[in-house]
Amino acid sequence: MTSRKLLSLAAAALFFLPASSFAQVYVGFGGAAPTGDFKEVAKTGWMAILGADFDLGESGAAIYGEGFYGENKHETEGDKTNPYGAMAGLLYNFSSNPDAVGVYVFGGGGLLVHKFSSSSEASDSESQFGYQAGAGVGVPLGGALSLFGEGRFMGSKDTTYFGFLAGLGIDFSGGN
């Protein structure tokens, strides 16, 4: 199965599950700063995420699944990389009060695709195991809505970068 088909299947699964089975659905957007060897050719770009998390009881622990897509233009005019994929993992929220600002940490793994496009060279795409770890702050807005801001380190064997995202969450757990 190609990485594109796998990603489409994962995204479709999120939309066909009933909303009440999610603790929270979230969408975020922000910057993606390349690191390591990737920094030698790529400029800071952008990334977007769409995901859902599922509470594992009252402890603050949750599992999550998300898809992401981004773009980093290169130093060479006409060259760019589109990192995209799907990740799943564990999240822990240190706040036990859903109406208070909460700090959380997360980590996980999944598929990271590095798609290189060029106006002067052959394009290439590589799929590898990807990983991520990060921390963030969630700010309740009242009702089921919350804002979040987070930093995350994402990578694979050949592509690593820091993502800085802000976004909106909708809580379906009935906790608010």
Side-chain angles (χ1 to χ4, degrees), residues 1-49:
M1 181 177 285
T2 67
S3 59
R4 203 174 284 228
K5 287 180 185 175
L6 183 62
L7 215 60
S8 297
L9 183 62
L14 279 177
F15 292 107
F16 288 111
L17 289 171
S20 61
S21 65
F22 301 126
Q24 179 175 248
V25 174
Y26 55 89
V27 62
F29 186 79
T35 63
D37 291 344
F38 189 38
K39 184 179 180 181
E40 301 299 319
V41 295
K43 299 177 182 180
T44 296
W46 60 268
M47 72 180 302
I49 59 170

Side-chain angles (χ1 to χ4, degrees), residues 128-153:
Q128 296 182 347
F129 172 76
Y131 52 87
Q132 68 179 357
V137 175
V139 179
L141 296 177
L145 296 178
S146 63
L147 289 177
F148 69 89
E150 66 184 32
R152 57 175 65 196
F153 180 77

Side-chain angles (χ1 to χ4, degrees), residues 49-141:
I49 59 170
L50 172 65
D53 62 42
F54 308 85
D55 286 339
L56 297 174
E58 301 293 320
S59 67
I63 57 173
Y64 70 88
E66 63 186 25
F68 62 93
Y69 186 86
E71 180 175 287
N72 295 84
K73 294 190 182 203
H74 289 216
E75 298 295 331
T76 303
E77 185 67 32
D79 290 2
K80 68 178 180 178
T81 296
N82 293 103
Y84 63 92
M87 298 278 179
L90 295 172
L91 178 143
Y92 184 78
N93 188 341
F94 292 97
S95 174
S96 60
N97 182 354
D99 296 323
V101 173
V103 174
Y104 60 91
V105 295
F106 62 92
L111 174 70
L112 191 148
V113 179
H114 178 119
K115 181 181 177 193
F116 171 73
S117 303
S118 176
S119 59
S120 61
E121 297 179 42
S123 296
D124 190 21
S125 181
E126 183 175 71
S127 301
Q128 296 182 347
F129 172 76
Y131 52 87
Q132 68 179 357
V137 175
V139 179
L141 296 177

